[in-house]
Amino acid sequence: MEWYEEMDFDSNPFDKETKLIGFEDLLDEMLYAIVSGNMIFIEGESGSGKTKLLKEAIERFGGHGKVIYVNCKKIHNDLNIERLLKDRYGWFATAILNKKPRNMILLLDEVEHLSRKNSERIKYYFDQNYVRSVVFSGSDMESAGLSDSLRHRVHKKLIIKNLSDYEAVQLVREKVGNEIISDRIIKHIYKISGRNVKRFMENCEKVCKATGKNKDLKEEEVDKIMEDNVTAVAI
């Protein structure tokens, strides 16, 4: 039996997609920029929640077949924006009519891995109205490697800030409910996770896996669990 089954969950609660916590204003700005046909850059450290925001855009617009999501790190700078556009339009239009779709929404994650050549391709297709809106996501806009002409087209930069302690607690409550772990311990895990959302979720899972339902858990017990996990990885 898996640890989460012993806690009456059918599946791992930390794998469950839940509503956005703490980024509601950023989400509204991103969605407005997409509808307005602008380029924006979402800036935040790895694990801060950038991909979660992009998933919200896919959720809102993906049903219309107008969204292309690309993790630039996984394509090793071989992005071919024209091929992506044609793939979305279908075989008949590509092979017979040789048309490209218009008004596409392009979501580029980990954009620091995007090549200059592909940066210029994106600018061209944006200027030609094949791409309606572009959302770039990366750790730092200035060092992302965007060409000067493309960077000048970025309408706005949205910076992801750390969740408050209250928001961190609410995020965990969305995952596991109220009976698993105390607010005090959640805040402690958030602190020792460096306030990084991804690391925070991973550490909350480790604690729940190690202790089960234990609202009387102490901070030093959490620290010991973290130490044991580091030791296990090192071995």
Side-chain angles (χ1 to χ4, degrees), residues 41 43 140-145 151 157:
F41 195 104
E43 185 177 282
D140 179 59
M141 180 175 167
E142 297 307 315
S143 60
R151 190 165 60 248
K157 180 172 71 173

Side-chain angles (χ1 to χ4, degrees), residues 197-209:
V197 173
K198 182 179 180 181
R199 194 156 53 243
F200 171 52
M201 288 291 96
E202 291 171 348
N203 287 337
C204 283
E205 180 178 349
K206 290 173 185 175
V207 170
C208 289
K209 185 175 181 179

Side-chain angles (χ1 to χ4, degrees), residues 52-217:
K52 175 68 173 174
L53 274 171
L54 296 185
K55 286 182 178 179
E56 290 291 330
I58 295 171
E59 184 73 21
R60 300 296 178 95
F61 300 103
H64 303 289
K66 290 286 187 179
V67 179
I68 298 173
Y69 169 84
V70 179
N71 186 318
C72 298
K73 184 177 182 179
K74 294 182 179 179
I75 59 172
H76 306 293
N77 293 330
D78 292 330
L79 171 66
N80 186 318
I81 183 64
E82 183 173 6
R83 186 179 70 243
L84 290 172
L85 291 173
K86 287 184 175 182
D87 287 348
R88 281 288 176 160
Y89 210 44
W91 179 86
F92 179 77
T94 300
I96 307 301
L97 303 178
N98 196 31
K99 289 185 177 179
K100 305 177 189 70
R102 291 183 177 272
N103 296 317
M104 297 297 296
I105 300 166
L106 186 58
L107 311 175
L108 296 173
D109 209 355
E110 301 196 68
V111 75
E112 54 267 23
H113 298 278
L114 184 71
S115 69
R116 279 300 180 101
K117 181 179 180 180
N118 285 318
S119 179
E120 286 300 315
R121 283 175 178 161
I122 291 166
K123 177 181 73 68
Y124 170 77
Y125 283 105
F126 181 76
D127 290 345
Q128 296 298 312
N129 295 319
Y130 293 120
V131 174
R132 173 177 181 164
S133 178
V134 184
V135 180
F136 301 102
S137 166
S139 57
D140 179 59
M141 180 175 167
E142 297 307 315
S143 60
L146 303 182
S147 65
D148 291 340
S149 56
L150 185 59
R151 190 165 60 248
H152 291 155
R153 283 165 172 76
V154 174
H155 173 71
K156 194 171 188 179
K157 180 172 71 173
L158 305 179
I159 300 176
I160 292 184
K161 298 179 180 179
N162 291 333
L163 299 179
S164 67
D165 285 355
Y166 171 79
E167 290 167 339
V169 170
Q170 293 306 112
L171 181 57
V172 176
R173 293 285 171 248
E174 284 289 317
K175 300 285 187 181
V176 301
N178 298 317
E179 302 302 322
I180 305 299
I181 190 171
S182 70
D183 289 2
R184 175 175 51 81
I185 291 300
I186 292 173
K187 293 175 183 178
H188 180 67
I189 297 172
Y190 186 46
K191 179 180 179 181
I192 65 177
S193 300
R195 298 185 176 274
N196 180 281
V197 173
K198 182 179 180 181
R199 194 156 53 243
F200 171 52
M201 288 291 96
E202 291 171 348
N203 287 337
C204 283
E205 180 178 349
K206 290 173 185 175
V207 170
C208 289
K209 185 175 181 179
T211 64
K213 294 182 180 180
N214 186 357
K215 296 197 73 170
D216 296 323
L217 195 66

Side-chain angles (χ1 to χ4, degrees), residues 20 22-33 40-43 48-49 53 156-161:
L20 208 63
F23 300 145
E24 292 85 356
D25 290 342
L26 283 179
L27 175 61
D28 288 343
E29 287 195 69
M30 180 186 69
L31 296 178
Y32 179 78
I40 60 169
F41 195 104
I42 299 175
E43 185 177 282
S48 62
L53 274 171
K156 194 171 188 179
K157 180 172 71 173
L158 305 179
I159 300 176
I160 292 184
K161 298 179 180 179

